[in-house]
Amino acid sequence: MSTSLAPWIILFAPLVAATLILFFGRYSKPLSAGLAIAAAALGAYLSWTLFLSHEPIEAAKFTWLSLPNFTVEIGVTIDQLSKVMLIVVTNIATLVFIYSIGYMDHEEGYWRYFGGLALFLFSMLGIVLADNLVMMFIFWELVGVSSYILIGHYYSKDSAADACKQAFLVNRIGDFGFMLGILFVWLATGSIVFSEIFAKIPGAQFAGPATLTIGAILLFCGTIGKSAQLPLHVWLPNSMEGPTPVSSLLHAATMVAAGVYMLARIFPLLLTVDIARDVIAWVGGITCVVAALMATQQNDIKRILAYSTISQLGYMVLGAGVAPTADVPMFHLFTHAFFKCLLFLCSGSVILGMHHEQDIWKMGALKNKMPITLLCTLAGLLALAGCPFFSGYFSKDLIIAWAVEEQPILGWLSVFAAGLTSFYMFRLFFVVFFGKPKSDHAKHAHESPAVMVIPLLLLSIPAVIGGYGFIEHPFFPHIEHPHHVPEILHIALLAMFIGGLVLGFLLYFKADKDPLNIPFFANRFYIDDLYAWIVKTFQDGLAWVSAWADRWIVDLILARGTALAAVVFGHVLRCLQIGNIQAYAFFFGAGVVGLLYFLIVR
Amino acid sequence: MNLLLASILIPVLAAILVIAGFNARRTAIFAAVLNFLLTLVIVSQFKLDGGYQFLLSVPAVPALGIKFSLGVDGLGVAMLFLSTAVTLAAIAIARPPKANVSWFYASLLFISAGAVGAFVSVDAFFYYMFHELALVPTFLLIGIWGSGDRQTAAWKITVYLAFGSFVLLVGLIGLYLSLPVGSRTWDFRELAQAARIGTLAPAPWVYITLFLGFGILVSLFPFHTWAPQAYASAPAPAAMLHAGVLKKFGLYGLLRLVTPIFPPAITEPFNNLLLVLLLGNILYVGLVTISQRKLDLMLGYSSVMHMGYIFLGILSWTTIGLAGAALMLVAHGLSIAALFALSGELRERTGTLKFSELGGLARTMPKFGLLFGFAAMASVGLPGFANFAGELMVFFGGFSAGKPVVGLNNFQIATAIAVWGVVISAVYMLRAYRRVFFGPPLERWKDLPEISTHAKVCVVGLLILLLIFGFAPQLLVKFVLPAIVQP
């Protein structure tokens, strides 16, 4: 097979699968799952061949739109960055698709589910491969709609119906910024193609460097939406209404990381605009702390992980704001994708074993009933909490080290967040797997089938070893370590991990209910309520006022005014009465009279 | 026989046969299919770089320079395609009313004939007359076969559109009289040529009169309140034909009689005013749309809102913006037709379109819900559908319009605000979809029948066209580009 076709096959195989599932999926469950898995596995295989070949790759381009001075092509970028991301996306997708066979076995809408997954994979791969901003935006939006479909899988539930709508709308707000950012960058550089933009940056002075800075910050709005950064983070916890494998693939491992991937893609641009980098660092830094605080007081197992995801994405965004190369945040994206996906699939295994109970305070003592799930959870947990020599230890600490060097305030805040991470994860771990069974379901829990357990075991491998040097070099050759890391930082981070573990153990190992009660954290800083109030008061209020004005002012004055004029004229001419056809005839006649007057008399 | 003349006469003849007593539905569908096939023949024979083609010209009133001239360039072909495609969908999906079946179908056919006639005319006088002729059956359809408060709706649309046509006529006469005696003409090509060589130099009032006249016909803010009510009351096929096709008359007119003729010196002073008005369409009408409580009114307002983007593309006076506007003409026509078709089908089933009385319908009618979802996503400009390509081009056109300044010029500010419209349209469309199709199924709608096969075919056909032009917008752009690029 010619290498130049491989990226296109990787990209379009899932779309073909999605289309076939749309038409034929409802007739056969194995067909739906088989098509989706085949497309993902094919992508994974081709991604590895791309990754392992070191020849430069030329791929064909398609012209999507061609006008004088404006061309949008659908082309692919094959470089180290996209190759790594292809590996992450296709491999994790394959495992999650297989896991879904077991998880969704007894669920309704099987074909709809796998069709949505295949559509998602297509869209996500489009973001990864995009070689220009408009193409990335196109797939960015498609990712949004596939997420909408999958979160809304149980659309007959009000909560799921609201959650998918909210996810789409909040993302659209981010996309508004993204679109404007594209326009600004285009204004500043005259191009939308990544390589051309980077080539033109030094000379992009005519529209002023401010245009480029604003453009970069606006593009970052896309990240804020897609990667659920403050203040647009509210949709991600609610997206947990979707089936758990969806949360795992979309809302932990890949889709939400698209925002970080986009920052890595435009990194040469970011390096030239310091203000934008500061904005990015601050948004990421604050998000990682605030989301971690919220996570400490959640009771739904998936929501804890969701806030954890927001917090970890905050680390990556922080990394993009402080590190000198994009490999630093991408390294954490890479390790996080595996261990967070693993944790979500473990939580799915627990939820299935618990007959769809998600409240951790109704679990407990699952250690004997679900031993493999326990071990896999532990692997993911230690990686996430930054236990030395697990994958997250390497990648997260690298970001923190850069943050301490470049933005000390944010750096130390993120150290604190690392302690919180350790704490809330051990809280979850002890409450779910230890102590006494806190409900009947917990007493009768069971381990999941092999089709679910095997992906867990496979994902545990990268979660454990994903941070070592032999991973680092083939995947991230440009990674850089800061030179002036204070000794105390390593000690502090270790202390944070152990502190979280000890505190979690003391408070939660035997707890039947939460000994801590911090409503401010549990209620997510009341941000969700604030937004609900704002939407209700301002948007809907404004909409209501507009509708009122439209009916009673614009319509009344103009419509009735016009009608009145017609009627008055009509009476003057004594040739018509009130009525529609007459009014029409009047104007028509008046027009003809006017025409004749102008043409003949003049 | 001239193919364009044939595509006007086919619906007219069919209407006459229907009135004469032939089976109304079958005859109308046959004519619509025939006309659509004829359009495909015209498209296949059309030469991209050949200017106006399939010409026919018969002097009508020589003293006034009026000729009965037919011909299409790339833009005309695109509009002809839109007209016959939507006509086919509208007539095929129409449910025969209880009374006056033959007149009902004849009216639909007359609207189609009028729309086709307007879009294939090269003579501004006949272009105008064909539109007027198509309006009469539109009023009748709403007034006689409409639902709800159809009298008020019919009355309002009549008054408004008649007024708009009147303003437009004044503008057209103004344009005609701006030509020196002896070279006066209504021919699009000659008018554009005269503007190029400088013999046509209309006064500013002609420009603004034409813009407002066309604007009223296209529901430019604040002259928009007729549209939602009319579409809500109209029978579904009438709403499809007017919102999808006939309303595009005004925008098409701007691309024919305004952008090729008026120089920046005349248009620039009005730019700020018109930008405010079109932002009224996008922002203000967008907000009004959000607070609608009935699906049909919501769709009507959404259609008004989307006109704002097309106005922005036209007003940008850039190649990208004008091509985007042309693309949106077609995309919006197809998507709003699909939405009105579905909301009409829904009303047939439930008898109500109030959000408060609907809910959970995706469970009872999954295919219906899926199709509505596709159409709604097309309407909010999701990539993959033609609407997205059009909006994207309009945004790029708007952002590159006007004079470069330090900071942002008014066009760029207006475009930035207009981009917020993509959020607004997602809000109202997704809210509506959630209220109607998602949530727990209601007991009273448990036995609703799934979408019928013929309705499904119609809507799927429109959606496939939207997807084709969305995946490959260049197919359409290469047709319209030669027609709008200023030589």
Side-chain angles (χ1 to χ4, degrees):
Chain A
M1 182 182 300
S2 140
T3 353
S4 64
L5 262 182
W8 293 113
I9 297 176
I10 296 175
L11 178 61
F12 280 100
L15 181 65
V16 172
T19 314
L20 290 175
I21 293 171
L22 175 66
F23 287 112
F24 307 112
R26 77 196 66 191
Y27 304 115
S28 158
K29 282 168 84 171
L31 180 72
S32 305
L35 281 168
I37 292 169
L42 178 66
Y45 167 73
L46 290 174
S47 300
W48 280 109
T49 57
L50 274 184
F51 182 75
L52 295 173
S53 98
H54 292 283
E55 295 157 32
I57 288 156
E58 286 283 319
K61 285 184 169 201
F62 303 106
T63 301
W64 186 68
L65 206 54
S66 171
L67 295 152
N69 302 325
F70 183 68
T71 303
V72 181
E73 287 184 321
I74 301 295
V76 295
T77 314
I78 297 292
D79 57 3
Q80 188 67 20
L81 181 62
S82 59
K83 283 179 184 175
V84 170
M85 198 67 182
L86 281 180
I87 297 276
V88 172
V89 172
T90 54
N91 287 284
I92 293 184
T94 310
L95 291 178
V96 173
F97 287 12
I98 293 172
Y99 175 98
S100 298
I101 297 175
Y103 191 86
M104 299 301 288
D105 196 23
H106 302 292
E107 302 287 323
E108 53 167 331
Y110 201 78
W111 68 272
R112 187 156 48 84
Y113 173 83
F114 276 100
L117 281 184
L119 177 66
F120 161 74
L121 186 58
F122 165 68
S123 325
M124 184 69 208
L125 291 169
I127 294 180
V128 175
L129 289 168
D131 77 338
N132 65 71
L133 281 168
V134 170
M135 178 178 168
M136 187 179 258
F137 184 84
I138 288 173
F139 286 99
W140 193 266
E141 290 264 288
L142 290 178
V143 159
V145 79
S146 42
S147 162
Y148 173 77
I149 294 168
L150 289 165
I151 297 172
H153 186 74
Y154 304 112
Y155 58 78
S156 294
K157 264 171 72 184
D158 278 327
S159 55
D162 289 332
C164 68
K165 185 189 75 181
Q166 185 196 31
F168 193 89
L169 294 183
V170 173
N171 268 292
R172 269 256 158 155
I173 296 175
D175 295 351
F176 160 75
F178 192 171
M179 185 75 233
L180 277 186
I182 295 174
L183 292 172
F184 271 85
V185 170
W186 182 64
L187 190 68
T189 66
S191 179
I192 53 166
V193 181
F194 293 123
S195 54
E196 289 174 17
I197 293 171
F198 303 149
K200 282 179 190 162
I201 286 172
Q205 298 301 324
F206 66 93
T211 316
L212 211 52
T213 307
I214 296 170
I217 293 174
L218 286 167
L219 288 179
F220 175 59
C221 289
T223 301
I224 296 180
K226 195 67 76 198
S227 292
Q229 300 295 291
L230 249 61
L232 297 184
H233 65 287
V234 289
W235 68 271
L236 186 60
N238 292 337
S239 79
M240 298 295 127
E241 290 291 338
T244 305
V246 169
S247 314
S248 163
L249 179 64
L250 274 72
H251 307 121
T254 57
M255 171 186 138
V256 287
V260 179
Y261 179 79
M262 186 254 270
L263 293 182
R265 188 43 87 204
I266 61 167
F267 209 74
L269 167 66
L270 294 183
L271 283 177
T272 63
V273 282
D274 289 338
I275 302 172
R277 290 252 291 168
D278 290 345
V279 171
I280 292 170
W282 276 93
V283 169
I286 292 172
T287 303
C288 87
V289 181
V290 169
L293 285 173
M294 292 172 181
T296 59
Q297 284 281 291
Q298 302 302 315
N299 297 326
D300 181 309
I301 185 168
K302 286 178 73 182
R303 280 176 186 257
I304 299 174
L305 292 176
Y307 281 103
S308 165
T309 304
I310 298 173
S311 168
Q312 296 300 308
L313 290 165
Y315 276 110
M316 296 174 212
V317 171
L318 172 64
V322 294
T325 93
D327 274 5
V328 173
M330 281 303 294
F331 184 28
H332 193 49
L333 187 161
F334 179 83
T335 59
H336 176 264
F338 290 105
F339 66 67
K340 187 53 73 59
C341 179
L342 171 65
L343 282 169
F344 264 106
L345 294 188
C346 288
S347 81
S349 175
V350 169
I351 292 167
L352 201 68
M354 289 284 303
H355 301 279
H356 294 278
E357 178 56 63
Q358 298 189 193
D359 188 341
I360 59 171
W361 294 104
K362 297 201 171 125
M363 299 175 183
L366 297 183
K367 59 179 185 300
N368 302 325
K369 310 233 169 48
M370 313 183 77
I372 306 177
T373 304
L374 172 126
L375 278 179
C376 294
T377 307
L378 190 63
L381 184 162
L382 292 175
L384 169 60
C387 174
F389 314 117
F390 282 72
S391 62
Y393 167 76
F394 296 96
S395 56
K396 188 166 71 177
D397 290 11
L398 185 61
I399 290 175
I400 295 174
W402 274 111
V404 169
E405 181 149 310
E406 298 287 328
Q407 301 263 12
I409 303 174
L410 293 174
W412 290 106
L413 271 177
S414 69
V415 172
F416 174 59
L420 291 171
T421 309
S422 175
F423 171 70
Y424 67 68
M425 282 313 294
F426 278 110
R427 169 177 178 263
L428 180 151
F429 184 66
F430 290 131
V431 172
V432 170
F433 289 102
F434 294 90
K436 290 195 287 285
K438 298 169 191 78
S439 72
D440 284 345
H441 284 322
K443 284 180 195 140
H444 303 113
H446 55 82
E447 185 59 283
S448 299
V451 71
M452 292 170 65
V453 169
I454 290 169
L456 293 185
L457 290 170
L458 287 175
L459 275 169
S460 302
I461 300 168
V464 174
I465 63 169
Y468 280 95
F470 61 83
I471 297 286
E472 204 173 291
H473 285 294
F475 284 93
F476 304 101
H478 306 297
I479 218 157
E480 272 186 54
H481 295 266
H483 300 297
H484 310 289
V485 188
E487 263 315 299
I488 189 155
L489 180 63
H490 295 301
I491 301 166
L493 281 169
L494 192 61
M496 282 294 158
F497 168 67
I498 296 172
L501 166 62
V502 171
L503 201 60
F505 179 80
L506 291 177
L507 283 172
Y508 291 107
F509 189 70
K510 285 185 173 166
D512 288 333
K513 59 178 177 48
D514 203 333
L516 293 181
N517 182 16
I518 311 170
F520 190 62
F521 295 169
N523 289 305
R524 300 149 290 177
F525 289 32
Y526 297 100
I527 292 175
D528 299 54
D529 304 286
L530 176 72
Y531 288 176
W533 180 79
I534 288 175
V535 166
K536 197 163 182 252
T537 315
F538 287 93
Q539 182 200 282
D540 294 355
L542 211 57
W544 186 86
V545 170
S546 306
W548 185 87
D550 207 51
R551 180 158 185 192
W552 297 111
I553 299 176
V554 177
D555 190 33
L556 207 66
I557 292 178
L558 285 163
R560 316 276 154 153
T562 314
L564 194 69
V567 171
V568 170
F569 278 123
H571 279 295
V572 169
L573 294 174
R574 289 192 182 196
C575 63
L576 41 84
Q577 293 167 324
I578 306 168
N580 42 10
I581 302 303
Q582 288 90 330
Y584 172 76
F586 163 69
F587 280 115
F588 191 77
V592 174
V593 169
L595 181 72
L596 294 175
Y597 171 80
F598 274 113
L599 296 175
I600 296 164
V601 179
R602 271 182 67 146
Chain B
M1 184 176 185
N2 181 290
L3 293 182
L4 299 178
L5 185 60
S7 54
I8 302 173
L9 290 181
I10 287 172
V12 173
L13 281 177
I16 293 170
L17 290 178
V18 164
I19 295 167
F22 279 72
N23 180 308
R25 184 154 186 271
R26 278 194 209 142
T27 313
I29 292 181
F30 179 75
V33 171
L34 194 63
N35 227 11
F36 183 66
L37 293 177
L38 190 59
T39 301
L40 294 183
V41 171
I42 292 171
V43 170
S44 67
Q45 292 183 1
F46 185 81
K47 289 180 198 64
L48 282 178
D49 50 358
Y52 281 92
Q53 294 158 48
F54 305 100
L55 294 165
L56 170 80
S57 190
V58 182
V61 190
L64 303 178
I66 298 171
K67 289 173 293 182
F68 180 72
S69 296
L70 303 182
V72 281
D73 61 357
L75 181 61
V77 166
M79 299 309 293
L80 177 64
F81 181 82
L82 171 72
S83 309
T84 54
V86 172
T87 300
L88 177 55
I91 286 182
I93 210 168
R95 285 161 182 262
K98 290 190 185 69
N100 300 322
V101 178
S102 54
W103 287 99
F104 176 79
Y105 277 100
S107 297
L108 291 177
L109 288 163
F110 272 122
I111 298 181
S112 178
V116 169
F119 293 134
V120 302
S121 285
V122 186
D123 186 277
F125 185 82
F126 277 94
Y127 160 73
Y128 178 87
M129 292 308 287
F130 271 118
H131 174 252
E132 293 288 294
L133 290 178
L135 284 181
V136 179
T138 310
F139 304 148
L140 294 178
L141 277 166
I142 296 172
I144 298 172
W145 293 281
S147 60
D149 190 2
R150 60 177 196 263
Q151 308 289 349
T152 314
W155 172 80
K156 199 182 277 179
I157 185 177
T158 308
V159 168
Y160 255 103
L161 294 191
F163 178 66
S165 300
F166 180 68
V167 174
L168 174 61
L169 188 61
V170 173
L172 286 177
I173 293 167
L175 193 64
Y176 177 82
L177 296 177
S178 307
L179 282 161
V181 183
S183 67
R184 284 182 179 163
T185 177
W186 297 93
D187 190 298
F188 290 153
R189 295 160 298 182
E190 290 166 15
L191 284 166
Q193 177 61 19
R196 252 193 309 278
I197 59 173
T199 49
L200 173 60
W205 73 264
V206 178
Y207 169 67
I208 198 65
T209 309
L210 278 176
F211 207 110
L212 290 179
F214 283 127
I216 295 169
L217 297 179
V218 193
S219 60
L220 177 66
F221 170 85
F223 311 105
H224 64 273
T225 51
W226 58 270
Q229 266 189 304
Y231 296 150
S233 290
M240 290 167 73
L241 278 173
H242 192 271
V245 180
L246 201 54
K247 194 159 97 168
K248 305 299 181 288
F249 165 89
L251 298 160
Y252 177 82
L254 288 172
L255 290 170
R256 279 282 179 246
L257 288 167
V258 174
T259 54
I261 288 175
F262 290 88
I266 290 183
T267 59
E268 264 164 21
F270 298 103
N271 277 350
N272 286 347
L273 168 73
L274 294 173
L275 281 176
V276 169
L277 295 189
L278 73 89
L279 285 180
N281 273 69
I282 295 174
L283 281 190
Y284 167 83
V285 175
L287 284 168
V288 176
T289 314
I290 287 180
S291 66
Q292 293 310 307
R293 297 196 183 109
K294 282 177 69 189
L295 183 64
D296 48 2
L297 280 175
M298 192 282 283
L299 292 177
Y301 271 107
S302 87
S303 148
V304 174
M305 177 204 174
H306 283 127
M307 294 303 108
Y309 295 121
I310 306 183
F311 280 118
L312 177 60
I314 291 172
L315 200 61
S316 79
W317 240 268
T318 59
T319 307
I320 313 174
L322 292 171
L327 187 53
M328 278 198 82
L329 283 181
V330 176
H332 177 268
L334 296 170
S335 62
I336 198 71
L339 285 168
F340 276 129
L342 288 169
S343 82
E345 285 292 299
L346 190 59
R347 181 161 51 197
E348 288 292 334
R349 282 171 172 67
T350 60
T352 176
L353 289 176
K354 283 194 184 122
F355 293 136
S356 57
E357 296 181 31
L358 298 169
L361 293 184
R363 168 114 353 226
T364 355
M365 309 188 291
K367 286 177 191 159
F368 198 113
L370 186 69
L371 289 177
F372 197 98
F374 267 92
M377 283 298 171
S379 162
V380 300
L382 188 80
F385 295 102
N387 310 55
F388 168 77
E391 281 178 21
L392 184 83
M393 288 156 77
V394 164
F395 293 151
F396 274 88
F399 218 68
S400 55
K403 294 198 181 85
V405 292
V406 180
L408 297 179
N409 68 29
N410 287 350
F411 269 101
Q412 285 155 347
I413 293 169
T415 307
I417 298 171
V419 178
W420 185 254
V422 302
V423 178
I424 294 181
S425 54
V427 169
Y428 60 67
M429 206 47 104
L430 263 64
R431 275 191 182 182
Y433 193 63
R434 189 246 174 278
R435 284 173 193 165
V436 176
F437 290 99
F438 285 177
L442 299 179
E443 191 60 30
R444 68 190 272 214
W445 306 128
K446 246 178 59 179
D447 301 318
L448 288 188
E450 179 60 287
I451 187 163
S452 62
T453 308
H454 81 273
K456 192 163 72 182
V457 169
C458 295
V459 175
V460 167
L462 294 171
L463 291 174
I464 286 176
L465 291 177
L466 283 167
L467 283 167
I468 290 174
F469 295 137
F471 271 71
Q474 196 65 24
L475 281 180
L476 209 61
V477 168
K478 72 181 180 193
F479 273 89
V480 299
L481 206 51
I484 56 166
V485 172
Q486 315 283 331

